[in-house]
């Protein structure tokens, strides 16, 4: 079983409207609501690939309830710790003129709620082959919380994968995660006044405790800096579509590679192909199997 | 006690964003969520004026739960019949360039749910001094349902006020309501191929069963066609602000006038002043007491 952690679980709402009146009244004819947040998307991809998953994190209020109902409807096993504040909604309004995204600030989490989450997390680790810790920290969660979670897993010999940003990313390595996965922008934010390239920055993260660092380079593939060496995976061509969720599919591939004990080149090819297959789908958490197969065999890892 | 009926209760969400990116990512810094729907707004105004109210209607899913939680937080007594579908959200995105409203289609209601609602409605009528039936019909509710509710009230000698549109308005009079309150646009929609003026159209509604018809004329005040005669209330000046919710405050004034046995001129003056006082407030269901007092004494009823 792979445990995913989504502290800032969201209800992802999409309104499709042909002609949006940005100063007027719009009737929403096509409405989609689904559980979201990066860890949830990772779990969807893993479940679609046949892996047992457990979605953990925090959920509160009516929006948290909607998240749980959708996880149940999606047959994704979940154990979300209740919080007092309402979980966040993310809204995408898609029309002929483009897509406007509205991201709510999300809940404020109390110390007591975090303690309850940690209790549940310790229980969820029993029987876990890997832990995936992804996404933003809600207000009230300390910046080193992902390091704390990764350290709990490391203490029990369970590999943790961390996909974070900002201060949470900067501190993650201290928890001795198996893999930290930033993209180029996140890496630049984590090392703000730094002229080093991604390979050196990944090296610094490894020195700080991460066993491996995999940097996603968008359409250019990825860079992995590991104890066994440094690899570069190059994509055969550019897949058109929606990059939202590509990083999550990519992380799902890395997690799968870890639990199945794949060698690094194979692991990276799987992860990069899943990322491309997610770009081909309009919704995060889904992958296009045709794209996966077409891309997978052509990825060059060196 | 005044019972209000809101079959299409909503969660009214407002996002305030300084500079909205209509094709990009927006962080929602200022977020408001509250129970809405016309009958809920009417109940808010009545409660603010010291009247006992009971909010009835339909609510389902996590959004319905959010509606109920806000009614409880607003100290508005409520008894909403549960439905299987999720209640609707209305979203207002307010930025420097104006306000975009997004109205979801809302739930589909089953026959069994309507039967359960009717049972509850019969119970709620016990001890009711008046019933206010407002707003749109969710899918699955027959167009004559407001007439049915008004007839139940009439059978028990309880005055019903109906604020509806389209087919529901056209049919409402058959339920012998005490007052039907269309605005000019609603009246035009109810009598589409008709060259008659509002006074004659109101007369037709009276012939069809309504005891009185009060037509709101927006900034021009109102017109009342009743068994005791025809009145015209004229506003002293135009109040600037947000007309959303003005009709609901207006209906609250009419209901108050009915239960307190006010003569028509006094009743109309109260209703028109409350409507103006609602325009002065940014949010539906609230009234500005200063505006109320300033306008109230200057309204001319003839």
């Amino acid at each position: 079983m792979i445990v995913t952690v989504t502290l800032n679980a969201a209800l992802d709402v999409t309104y499709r409207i042909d002609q949006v009146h940005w100063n007027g009244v719009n009737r929403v004819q096509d409405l989609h609501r689904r559980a979201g947040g990066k860890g949830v998307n990772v779990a969807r991809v893993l479940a679609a690939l046949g892996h047992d998953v457990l979605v953990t994190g925090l959920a509160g209020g009516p929006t948290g309830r909607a998240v749980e109902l959708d996880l149940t409807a999606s047959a994704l096993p979940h154990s979300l710790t209740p919080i007092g504040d309402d979980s966040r909604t993310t809204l995408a309004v898609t029309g002929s003129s483009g897509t406007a995204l509205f991201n709510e600030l999300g809940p404020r989490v109390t110390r007591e709620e975090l303690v309850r989450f940690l209790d549940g997390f310790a229980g969820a680790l029993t029987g876990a082959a890997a832990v995936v810790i992804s996404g933003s920290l809600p207000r009230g969660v300390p910046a080193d919380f992902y390091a704390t979670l990764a350290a709990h897993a490391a203490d029990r010999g369970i590999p943790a994968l961390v996909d974070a940003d900002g201060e949470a990313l900067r501190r993650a390595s201290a928890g001795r995660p198996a893999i930290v996965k930033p993209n180029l922008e996140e890496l630049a934010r984590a090392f703000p006044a730094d002229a080093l390239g991604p390979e050196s920055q990944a090296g610094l993260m490894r020195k700080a405790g991460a066993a491996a660092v995999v940097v996603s380079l968008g359409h250019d593939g990825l860079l992995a800096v590991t104890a066994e060496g440094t690899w570069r995976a190059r994509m055969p061509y550019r897949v058109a579509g929606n990059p939202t969720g590509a990083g999550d599919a990519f992380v799902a591939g890395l997690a799968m590679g870890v639990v199945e004990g794949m060698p690094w080149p194979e692991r990276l090819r799987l992860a990069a192909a899943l990322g491309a297959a997610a770009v081909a789908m309009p919704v995060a958490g889904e992958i296009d199997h045709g794209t996966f197969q077409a891309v997978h065999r052509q990825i060059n890892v060196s």
Side-chain angles (χ1 to χ4, degrees), chain A residues 13-20 25-33 91-94:
Chain A
V13 180
T14 306
Y15 288 169
R16 256 177 263 275
I17 295 166
D18 275 348
Q19 188 68 45
V20 185
V25 179
N26 301 276
R27 246 166 233 286
V28 179
Q29 294 294 347
D30 191 6
L31 164 69
H32 293 274
R33 281 197 180 91
L91 172 69
V93 178
T94 300

Side-chain angles (χ1 to χ4, degrees), chain A residues 85-98:
Chain A
D85 259 16
D86 201 31
S87 292
R88 70 195 167 112
T89 293
T90 71
L91 172 69
V93 178
T94 300
S96 52
S97 57

Side-chain angles (χ1 to χ4, degrees), chain A residues 9 32-33 55 70 72 93 99 105 109 117 121-123 126 128 146 160 194 255 259 269-270 273-274 301:
Chain A
H32 293 274
R33 281 197 180 91
V55 174
D70 183 68
T72 302
V93 178
T99 295
L105 201 51
V109 180
F117 171 78
F121 182 70
T126 306
Y146 283 169
D194 203 308
V259 299
R269 196 173 286 120
L270 172 68
L274 283 174
V301 179

Side-chain angles (χ1 to χ4, degrees), chain A residues 73-158:
Chain A
S74 305
L76 287 172
H78 53 94
S79 170
L80 296 168
T81 302
I83 54 173
D85 259 16
D86 201 31
S87 292
R88 70 195 167 112
T89 293
T90 71
L91 172 69
V93 178
T94 300
S96 52
S97 57
T99 295
L101 284 166
F102 298 95
N103 292 327
E104 296 182 4
L105 201 51
R108 183 174 287 284
V109 180
T110 67
R111 183 174 292 271
E112 293 69 37
E113 288 163 348
L114 280 184
V115 169
R116 272 205 299 278
F117 171 78
L118 279 173
D119 283 350
F121 182 70
L125 286 182
T126 306
V131 178
V132 177
I133 305 165
S134 312
S136 61
L137 294 177
R139 289 172 294 165
V141 180
D144 62 356
F145 198 69
Y146 283 169
T148 303
L149 297 182
H152 278 301
D155 288 347
R156 294 171 62 171
I158 300 165

Side-chain angles (χ1 to χ4, degrees), chain A residues 71-292:
Chain A
L71 290 173
T72 302
S74 305
L76 287 172
H78 53 94
S79 170
L80 296 168
T81 302
I83 54 173
D85 259 16
D86 201 31
S87 292
R88 70 195 167 112
T89 293
T90 71
L91 172 69
V93 178
T94 300
S96 52
S97 57
T99 295
L101 284 166
F102 298 95
N103 292 327
E104 296 182 4
L105 201 51
R108 183 174 287 284
V109 180
T110 67
R111 183 174 292 271
E112 293 69 37
E113 288 163 348
L114 280 184
V115 169
R116 272 205 299 278
F117 171 78
L118 279 173
D119 283 350
F121 182 70
L125 286 182
T126 306
V131 178
V132 177
I133 305 165
S134 312
S136 61
L137 294 177
R139 289 172 294 165
V141 180
D144 62 356
F145 198 69
Y146 283 169
T148 303
L149 297 182
H152 278 301
D155 288 347
R156 294 171 62 171
I158 300 165
L161 292 84
V162 179
D163 181 2
D165 198 355
E167 191 66 18
L169 168 61
R170 236 190 318 271
R171 299 198 176 212
S173 304
R176 292 163 285 131
I179 301 178
V180 173
K181 188 226 72 84
N183 60 32
L184 279 178
E185 294 74 33
E186 289 161 349
L187 212 53
R189 278 193 288 270
F191 296 93
D194 203 308
L196 298 170
E199 195 170 332
S200 306
Q201 293 169 335
L204 288 176
M205 285 184 163
R206 290 198 62 239
K207 271 199 189 114
V213 178
V214 181
V215 182
S216 73
L217 310 170
H219 293 292
D220 288 336
L222 52 83
L223 167 76
V225 182
T226 79
E228 291 103 282
T230 296
W231 281 273
R232 179 81 169 74
R234 287 183 176 78
M235 308 305 288
Y237 53 86
R238 190 175 170 132
V239 174
N242 171 20
T244 311
D248 302 329
F250 185 77
V251 170
L254 292 176
M256 218 174 122
V258 167
V259 299
E260 297 188 0
M262 288 180 193
W264 272 105
E266 194 182 334
R267 199 185 285 189
L268 299 176
R269 196 173 286 120
L270 172 68
L274 283 174
V279 170
M281 295 298 279
V283 179
E286 295 183 0
I287 49 170
D288 181 68
H289 292 276
T291 303
F292 175 80

